[in-house]
Amino acid sequence: IVFTFPNAQGELSVRVTVNGTETEITTLPYSGIEIPTTPTPGAAITDITGDQGTVNVTGVTAGNTILIYSDANEVLATGTANANGEAVLTFTFPNAQGELSVRVTVNGTETEITTLPYSGIEIPTTPTPGAAITDITGDQGTVNITGVAAGEVVKVYDADNNVLGTAVAGSNGSAQ
């Protein structure tokens, strides 16, 4: 029979029911047994870089699903607790100030572990794509593109929708 100790010391009464009559078999004292405490779940914002943050969660059961919600109840990140009952979740801050709700799902029930207020997060602005014609030599020119994401394909078309040139944006968000 698996049970949870009701307190740090005392005794257990073991009983059997035979033909509707309950009879005590024995009493088992358990004073002096060290009963481990169940860890209390906790969470903290540990790293902030620009609009990205990391939340470390501790004290949950291995395999539990951990979720981070915004003030608007939008899921910002989801993860699973490792064998040590810990999870590390990286997310994007939805705005410069507010609070995060860190929740754990156990047996299909979602429970809040804690709320983590934050303020003053510097959220970088998304660059606006731009283009300019440069280096005109005879009938040739160069179009410089800025403010696009690395790896994006940029094409230049003429008035008849013919592709005149193609480039892939570099790591600095520019292309020629």
Side-chain angles (χ1 to χ4, degrees):
I1 299 172
V2 177
F3 68 96
T4 300
F5 286 100
N7 48 40
Q9 59 184 352
E11 60 183 37
L12 303 172
S13 174
V14 181
R15 302 174 189 174
V16 64
T17 302
V18 178
N19 296 326
T21 303
E22 188 175 82
T23 306
E24 185 172 73
I25 297 172
T26 191
T27 301
L28 301 171
Y30 63 88
S31 297
I33 295 175
E34 189 173 319
I35 300 169
T37 58
T38 303
T40 303
I45 299 173
T46 56
D47 294 313
I48 298 172
T49 305
D51 64 346
Q52 298 286 302
T54 301
V55 169
N56 285 348
V57 179
T58 58
V60 295
T61 302
N64 284 156
T65 300
I66 311 298
L67 300 110
I68 299 175
Y69 286 87
S70 69
D71 284 345
N73 211 34
E74 298 171 305
V75 176
L76 301 176
T78 302
T80 303
N82 65 18
N84 296 324
E86 301 168 343
V88 177
L89 291 89
T90 301
F91 64 96
T92 301
F93 286 99
N95 47 41
Q97 61 185 11
E99 68 181 20
L100 306 173
S101 173
V102 181
R103 303 175 193 174
V104 62
T105 302
V106 178
N107 297 325
T109 303
E110 197 172 271
T111 305
E112 185 171 75
I113 295 172
T114 190
T115 56
L116 300 171
Y118 64 91
S119 64
I121 304 302
E122 193 170 313
I123 298 177
T125 57
T126 304
T128 303
I133 297 175
T134 61
D135 301 327
I136 300 171
T137 306
D139 64 351
Q140 294 208 343
T142 301
V143 174
N144 283 325
I145 310 296
T146 57
V148 295
E152 287 186 343
V153 176
V154 180
K155 296 179 182 180
V156 175
Y157 293 85
D158 68 9
D160 295 325
N161 216 25
N162 297 309
V163 176
L164 300 177
T166 303
V168 176
S171 62
N172 63 356
S174 65
Q176 287 187 336

